[in-house]
Amino acid sequence: MKYVLLGLCLLLNAGAALAQKKNVQAAPTIPFTLACTSPVAANALQKQYCETRDLTLPAPPAGTALTIDARVNGGISVRAWAGSTVQVRALVVGRAATPEAAKALAAAVQVATQNNLLRAARANEVLDGWSVDYEVLVPAQTDVVLKAVNGSLSVEGVSGNIRLETTNGGLTLRNVNGNVRAQTTNGPVSIALAGPGWLGPGLEAATVNGSVEWQLPAVYAGTLLARTTRGKVSAELNTKRKSVLPHNLAATLGKGGAQLKVSTVNGSIAVRQPAETAAPPADPAE
């Protein structure tokens, strides 16, 4: 009888462990793409050393933005992912006269996080000879502020209060929504939207010296405004409610909606929608 009871206990424990295992969801894979390439000379007189550092941060509370400051040299890419935390890969590069000095310079760079602010610096605040690029994965509903000077900024799949500001670098917006404001001085702007229409207050993206490429789904709802000073505007849109002039565009897509604005001074603007696919004819047999 004792052995029978022992066997029953073992079976019950095994069943409970199996049920618990089924209820535990596997953590989502962290799909980082940022990686160091083979060591190369920064220029004829400098060597380069590169390393990556991975960090995990709590997602900022609602109403609080995650701010990422790439300082003087560095770009930022932010993407939505299925996890509930913020995952960061920082690619740190040092440049110096010798490989050893470049490695020491990179090692001296500190990537710090405090109060939902991510930034890098050397202890003595020297900005020369090093750079940090960031690849950041955030929950889809996250407010973000991205800052750079010599670097590009990119956001994909995120909805919220989004602010992008750089001086020498391009801007890329993919499948974003919310209240989005993005600006650069020297760099192109690339926008590709998805879904049936814009969700949120609107979009405003601007550059001074750069072109704008804007892609929309075949069926989309929104109010488009585009303006350039010394370039041309071209538009292929699935609507008759549009005004296309050499330097300006105003169009209403679908039932209209949030105001989506782009502008440049020295550059052209191209806005494109693919042709709508006609619905297949009904089957008479149905």
Side-chain angles (χ1 to χ4, degrees):
M1 185 65 179
K2 179 172 68 175
Y3 294 109
V4 172
L5 292 174
L6 179 61
L8 287 173
C9 289
L10 291 174
L11 287 173
L12 289 173
N13 289 336
L18 181 60
Q20 185 178 13
K21 184 176 181 181
K22 287 182 177 180
N23 290 331
V24 175
Q25 294 182 348
T29 303
I30 301 174
F32 285 131
T33 60
L34 197 61
C36 292
T37 57
S38 301
V40 294
N43 57 47
L45 301 177
Q46 287 189 319
K47 302 299 181 182
Q48 178 172 294
Y49 174 82
C50 172
E51 65 182 36
T52 59
R53 305 176 192 173
D54 294 349
L55 304 146
T56 297
L57 313 176
T64 301
L66 172 66
T67 299
I68 306 171
D69 183 356
R71 307 304 301 273
V72 174
N73 299 306
I76 307 169
S77 171
V78 175
R79 303 196 316 274
W81 79 309
S84 60
T85 58
V86 174
Q87 298 293 327
V88 179
R89 170 160 290 182
L91 188 148
V92 183
V93 174
R95 301 175 184 86
T98 66
E100 295 76 16
K103 183 175 181 179
L105 184 59
V109 175
Q110 301 297 316
V111 179
T113 61
Q114 186 177 13
N115 298 327
N116 301 299
L117 170 64
L118 175 65
R119 67 192 293 265
R122 290 191 63 197
N124 57 4
E125 288 295 321
V126 172
L127 298 177
D128 294 333
W130 61 272
S131 63
V132 181
D133 291 306
Y134 298 92
E135 183 178 6
V136 184
L137 309 178
V138 302
Q141 300 289 330
T142 302
D143 297 339
V144 294
V145 175
L146 310 184
K147 300 178 181 180
V149 178
N150 299 307
S152 297
L153 304 177
S154 172
V155 179
E156 180 179 351
V158 180
S159 179
N161 289 312
I162 300 172
R163 300 291 182 269
L164 284 69
E165 183 176 352
T166 186
T167 302
N168 300 307
L171 302 173
T172 300
L173 299 168
R174 295 281 182 272
N175 190 20
V176 294
N177 284 286
N179 187 7
V180 181
R181 301 290 181 268
Q183 64 179 44
T184 182
T185 302
N186 301 305
V189 176
S190 176
I191 303 171
L193 302 182
W198 188 269
L199 301 174
L203 162 71
E204 187 169 347
T207 180
V208 177
N209 300 306
S211 61
V212 178
E213 294 286 339
W214 193 357
Q215 297 286 336
L216 298 117
V219 178
Y220 198 79
T223 302
L224 311 186
L225 298 173
R227 176 176 55 83
T228 179
T229 303
R230 299 184 182 91
K232 292 184 178 180
V233 172
S234 61
E236 295 176 5
L237 299 172
N238 301 325
T239 180
K240 295 181 179 179
R241 294 184 292 170
K242 62 183 178 182
S243 171
V244 184
L245 300 175
H247 303 293
N248 294 276
L249 162 70
T252 300
L253 303 182
K255 296 181 179 180
Q259 195 171 87
L260 313 177
K261 300 169 61 177
V262 298
S263 66
T264 181
V265 177
N266 301 305
S268 295
I269 299 174
V271 187
R272 300 286 184 268
Q273 273 185 301
E276 291 187 63
T277 302
D283 189 344
E286 293 182 352

